[in-house]
Amino acid sequence: MIQAGQIHALHLNSSPASRSRRSANADAENDALDGLAREVLDRWRDEASARGLHHPVPMAIPWELE
């Protein structure tokens, strides 16, 4: 199972310069998280393909009447 949450930062300085840095940092964090999400999704798709999960074969279950 993979879980991801939100990343938060606490900024106590509210000057205009710090707001623009905070915005740039938030954009960079969002870009990094988006890239990570794409990478994880690509790896899961590759693994699902390698294991044949996209085209499952019915499982043979032997049985007999009693």
Side-chain angles (χ1 to χ4, degrees):
M1 175 185 291
I2 295 179
Q3 294 181 323
Q6 294 181 350
I7 298 174
H8 298 279
L10 176 62
H11 299 279
L12 299 177
N13 184 351
S14 62
S15 70
S18 71
R19 281 193 294 270
S20 72
R21 279 193 308 271
R22 183 173 52 228
S23 177
N25 288 341
D27 289 345
E29 286 176 0
N30 287 335
D31 289 346
L33 289 172
D34 287 344
L36 177 61
R38 281 190 299 276
E39 180 68 26
V40 169
L41 180 60
D42 289 345
R43 289 186 184 198
W44 275 102
R45 284 181 177 158
D46 291 346
E47 187 65 24
S49 292
R51 294 178 181 265
L53 299 179
H54 296 297
H55 305 288
V57 177
M59 184 187 305
I61 301 177
W63 63 277
E64 57 186 62
L65 287 174
E66 291 187 15

